[in-house]
């Protein structure tokens, strides 16, 4: 006879530790903090129940009394770094300024914890700090004449835009670390190649754009701010 099928469970509705015995030696917060330290140091692929258990000094099987699945650990980790948003000031009354402020904070958090980009999904949006963030974000949009669902889309779009920009920056930085020459040498060679390609006349529009910009290196801060402002403009009522 087949056993009973497993049922879905929300980690936040589960007691911090199940089972009988003496008072727990560790808290859920201890375990999550250890997992975040491992991920920050060695990446999300280094996070395993065995590694985290070793980090806090307990047996691997004991860890399952606190966190039943690795997916639950991931959800706890995402919520833990969501606590790093500073929302104490409350909405300013200027929804654009507030969204930019949140976007800047999101970028800083993702830079501190690059692994979080791989884990962020709508499925991990039910933790206490994630809910606090969403409530704050919606409060910042109170003065914006849009349906609630569109406001949620706005928050998701801003977050997704930040994730894309940070992921690209991290990928470029990782690539640069693996080069056997300097970044300046790499860019000089690539720049010479591109100029040669454009000189052939096969890419007139691209050549015109680069000529117009004067081949000035892009300022990442300017690009970030400009991109987010354009995203916000797309949600402003006509």
């Amino acid at each position: 006879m087949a056993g009973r099928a497993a049922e879905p469970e929300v980690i936040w509705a589960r007691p911090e530790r199940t089972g009988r015995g003496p008072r727990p030696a560790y808290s859920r917060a201890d375990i999550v903090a250890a997992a975040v330290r491992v991920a920050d140091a060695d990446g999300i692929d280094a996070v395993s129940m065995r590694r985290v258990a070793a980090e806090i000094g307990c047996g691997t099987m004991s860890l399952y009394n606190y966190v039943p699945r690795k997916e639950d650990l991931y959800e706890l980790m995402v919520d833990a770094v969501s606590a790093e948003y500073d929302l104490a000031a409350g909405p300013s009354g200027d929804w654009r300024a507030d969204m930019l402020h949140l976007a800047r904070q999101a970028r800083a958090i993702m830079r501190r914890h690059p692994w979080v980009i791989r884990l962020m999904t709508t499925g991990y949006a039910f933790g206490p700090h994630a809910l606090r963030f969403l409530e704050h974000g919606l409060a910042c949009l109170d003065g914006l004449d849009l349906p609630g669902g569109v406001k949620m889309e706005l928050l998701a779009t801003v977050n997704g835009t930040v994730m894309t920009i940070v992921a690209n920056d991290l990928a470029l930085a990782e690539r640069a670390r693996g080069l056997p020459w300097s970044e300046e040498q790499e860019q000089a060679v690539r720049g010479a190649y591109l100029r040669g390609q454009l000189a052939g006349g096969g890419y007139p529009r691209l050549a015109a754009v680069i000529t117009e910009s004067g081949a000035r290196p892009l300022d990442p801060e300017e690009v970030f701010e400009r991109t987010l402002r354009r995203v916000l403009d797309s949600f402003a009522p006509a």
Side-chain angles (χ1 to χ4, degrees), residues 15-34:
E16 286 222 7
R17 185 181 184 278
T18 59
R20 300 175 181 177
R23 183 178 179 177
Y26 310 98
S27 69
R28 185 181 283 171
D30 294 330
I31 294 166
V32 177

Side-chain angles (χ1 to χ4, degrees), residues 188-204:
V189 170
R190 290 185 173 276
Y193 171 80
L194 178 59
R195 287 191 296 274
Q197 292 297 305
L198 297 180
Y203 311 98

Side-chain angles (χ1 to χ4, degrees), residues 25-139:
Y26 310 98
S27 69
R28 185 181 283 171
D30 294 330
I31 294 166
V32 177
V36 169
R37 286 197 301 272
V38 171
D40 285 349
D42 299 319
I44 193 61
D45 291 331
V47 176
S48 66
M49 301 300 264
R50 183 184 300 275
R51 174 77 182 272
V52 174
E55 185 79 12
I56 65 173
C58 77
T60 303
M61 296 310 297
S62 297
L63 198 64
Y64 287 97
N65 288 323
Y66 300 85
V67 183
R69 304 179 305 155
K70 183 190 282 190
E71 290 74 15
D72 294 323
L73 182 60
Y74 287 164
E75 185 166 359
L76 292 167
M77 291 169 68
V78 171
D79 197 67
V81 300
S82 296
E84 296 180 18
Y85 282 100
D86 181 3
L87 310 178
S92 69
D94 182 340
W95 69 271
R96 291 173 182 271
D98 289 343
M99 290 299 103
L100 284 170
H101 181 57
L102 289 178
R104 294 175 190 128
Q105 289 195 66
R107 180 176 57 163
I109 290 170
M110 292 176 198
R111 285 176 169 176
R112 286 194 296 271
H113 310 289
W115 50 269
V116 79
I117 294 174
R118 284 180 53 185
L119 298 187
M120 278 191 174
T121 71
T122 54
Y124 291 162
F126 299 103
H129 294 112
L131 291 175
R132 173 172 162 261
F133 168 83
L134 288 173
E135 182 67 19
H136 174 86
L138 289 172

Side-chain angles (χ1 to χ4, degrees), residues 166-176:
V166 174
N168 182 68
D169 291 344
L170 292 172
L172 289 174
E174 181 64 27
R175 181 181 181 279

